Amino acid sequence: MDLTISMDTVLNFLHSMSLSTSNKRWLADHLYEEVKAEEKATSVGKAKRKLTEKEKDEQFFSVAGAWKDDPIGDEMLDAIQIGRQPANYERKLAYFEEDE
């Protein structure tokens, strides 16, 4: 709340100075450039770092067995196994141009 009051005071002070349009534009541009530079500096500081192989392995194994106690897990496993079984039909090749 105090920050809002302080910012309002700064804005009122700027309005009392009777700045020209070009002065207001100059001030706004410089403030905006400072904000962009600060945001860039903080985003660079918080940039994602590359994971080590150990960290990658830990993340991978942390989800291993995630479906173990899920009732849908068994149904999915059955569906996958059925889908992998060979079909009992003869495979026929279809030709685009058939010679009679």
Side-chain angles (χ1 to χ4, degrees):
M1 186 74 163
D2 292 334
L3 180 62
T4 304
I5 293 171
S6 299
M7 294 306 293
D8 286 338
T9 304
V10 170
L11 186 60
N12 288 336
F13 173 71
L14 290 173
H15 286 301
S16 71
M17 293 177 66
S18 66
L19 298 172
S20 68
T21 304
S22 62
N23 293 132
K24 289 178 185 177
R25 170 60 88 181
W26 181 91
L27 180 62
D29 288 343
H30 281 76
L31 287 172
Y32 182 71
E33 290 301 321
E34 279 187 38
V35 168
K36 280 188 358 183
E38 289 175 11
E39 287 176 343
K40 185 177 180 181
T42 57
S43 67
V44 168
K46 294 180 181 179
K48 279 190 168 182
R49 64 177 178 83
K50 289 190 175 184
L51 297 176
T52 64
E53 289 301 316
K54 182 179 178 183
E55 290 171 327
K56 288 179 186 177
D57 288 343
E58 287 173 356
Q59 283 187 354
F60 176 76
F61 289 116
S62 71
V63 294
W67 288 82
K68 185 173 126 182
D69 297 325
D70 195 329
I72 275 186
D74 293 331
E75 293 173 25
M76 290 179 64
L77 182 61
D78 292 340
I80 290 170
Q81 288 176 342
I82 289 169
R84 288 184 177 173
Q85 293 176 359
N88 294 328
Y89 63 90
E90 186 178 324
R91 191 171 180 191
K92 296 180 182 178
L93 298 175
Y95 297 97
F96 291 109
E97 295 178 12
E98 293 185 20
D99 295 326
E100 291 184 44

